[in-house]
Each structure stands twice: as structure tokens, then as C-alpha cells.
Amino acid sequence: MSVRNSEVETNGWTTFDVPNQFEDLQKQLATGSYYVQNVLDLADINTRLQNISRIREPKELLEMFPFFYSIAIHFDKVAITGRSQAVEILLRLTASEMSEAQRRIHIGLSADDRRFHLNIVKMLSCLLAEYIIRFDNDQTNKSSDFDMPAPKKGKKVKEAETGGKSSLTSDALRDKCLKGLCDILRSHIKPLWDSSIIDEQFVKSVTKPCYHLLRRQDIAKNPIVKENLPLILTIMINKFEHA
């Protein structure tokens, strides 16, 4: 058994199957399929947030997925600073995984390598897609408009305008997740699927936040959404032959 294979199988699962509903990940839907055995409570989430910066390697997501999943489940109760920390780590892992996965695809993948990287790609995509929707639905930390990116200003000016408080908004974090999801799909990941046939549940997962945002009448105001949302749908149609 390879090292990569054992990292997964020692946890009693071999495949991350994207569910119909995000909450369905709390139950095992098939033999060997990943599921979240324990959803962390808010106290555990806050404790782990103190050490989240230690997460460096994409393979750590195999163990840390329940932490990011639990943040989504308790989304409204987790401070926006904590959610921001989680997003930054996910985006860091995304960049690292896309680089490594494409390198491995270029030199050739074993069956274990393919499954290993596919599981991580699916985990990252599933989390980012769900975070997009939950950030967009968050009414507590909304910006006044559909988050038009503000011009860059000096630190003192920003602090004066916000009264020294954080200028984090759920819209800004939603946009970061959307761009991260787009970065995944723009990468050369199709060979990770057996026979390059993309499973329907993955397609539904990554397009769900797009259709969610399309219902917004003010979507055209946001350049980040305006650029990345159509690109995701175009990639799913042209590259993955799905819509």
C-alpha cells in the first residue's frame, strides 16, 4: 500500500463523494465513502482557529476537513474574523494543491495518486462552493452595496473610516471563495477523474453557487463576480461538457 493510499484508508474511507446536500456529509452514503463523523461545536472551532495557521500542506485537509465543514454548519455563530482565517487557509491550500496536482498529472499519475488528488480537489471545491452561498446569505456583515471593490487607501484612512474596526465583509469573503473555486476549475484537473468523466454531483456542487448568485438582480455591479461566475459556467460547458 502506498503512503498516499494509506493516509486515506487508515481513516476507513477511500473516496470523497460530493453529496446532494452539504449536510448529507454527516452520514456515510456508501461503503468506503468519506463522511464527517463529528461536527465540532463552537468552542472547539474557536480553539482550533488559534492554531489554524499551522496548516500548510493540502494533504492535511484529509484530517482537517471536519473543522472547515463545522464552520459552515455553525456559519452564523462563527465570528467573521474566524471565517476569514478559514478562507485564507483554504485559498492557500487551493493554490498549493493546484500546483502539485498539475505537476503530478504532467509526469504521470498512479491510480493512488489520482484518487488522492481528486479527493482533495473535491473537498476544496465542496467547501468553497458552500462558503460562497453562506457568505452571500449572511446578512450580519453585509456591505451596503453588492460589494463594489473600493480603491486602495492608506491604513490610517481605512481605520478612520471604519472607526478602527475591521472592514471585513461577507461579500468580500464570498468573492475570494468564488475566485478560488474558479482557479480550481481553470486548472488542468480533468485527468484526475477516471476516464476523464466528471461525476454529476461534482458539477452540481460547483455550479450551485453560480446559479445562486445569478438570482441577484445587482450582479452586474460586482466586477469579481461578473468575471468569475460566467467563466465557471463556460468551463463546465466547454471543458467538462456539463452545464
Side-chain angles (χ1 to χ4, degrees), residues 74-81 83 133-145 165-174 216:
H74 298 294
F75 206 74
D76 294 337
K77 297 179 181 178
V78 178
I80 193 166
T81 51
R83 284 180 270 163
I133 295 173
R134 300 204 180 213
F135 274 125
D136 192 64
N137 288 338
D138 176 27
Q139 298 300 315
T140 305
N141 301 285
K142 281 287 184 185
S143 55
S144 56
D145 295 315
K165 298 179 181 179
S166 171
S167 59
L168 280 175
T169 68
S170 53
D171 291 336
L173 293 172
R174 173 205 61 212
R216 296 282 298 267

Side-chain angles (χ1 to χ4, degrees), residues 150 153-169:
K153 300 179 181 180
K155 183 177 180 181
K156 291 184 178 180
V157 175
K158 286 183 179 179
E159 289 180 349
E161 291 181 350
T162 60
K165 298 179 181 179
S166 171
S167 59
L168 280 175
T169 68

Side-chain angles (χ1 to χ4, degrees), residues 18-26 29 69 130 201 208:
V18 180
N20 280 319
Q21 300 294 328
F22 190 70
E23 289 75 9
D24 288 345
L25 277 170
Q26 296 177 44
L29 302 178
Y69 179 87
E130 189 65 25
Q201 290 309 117
K208 183 179 179 180

Side-chain angles (χ1 to χ4, degrees), residues 69-96:
Y69 179 87
S70 298
I71 288 178
I73 296 299
H74 298 294
F75 206 74
D76 294 337
K77 297 179 181 178
V78 178
I80 193 166
T81 51
R83 284 180 270 163
S84 177
Q85 284 180 271
V87 168
E88 293 303 326
I89 295 298
L90 285 176
L91 295 180
R92 181 199 303 168
L93 295 180
T94 295
S96 179

Side-chain angles (χ1 to χ4, degrees), residues 177-195:
C177 292
L178 182 65
K179 189 176 185 305
L181 182 61
C182 189
D183 288 343
I184 291 175
L185 299 176
R186 292 174 67 180
S187 302
H188 183 52
I189 59 173
K190 192 174 181 180
L192 294 178
W193 277 265
D194 188 25
S195 302

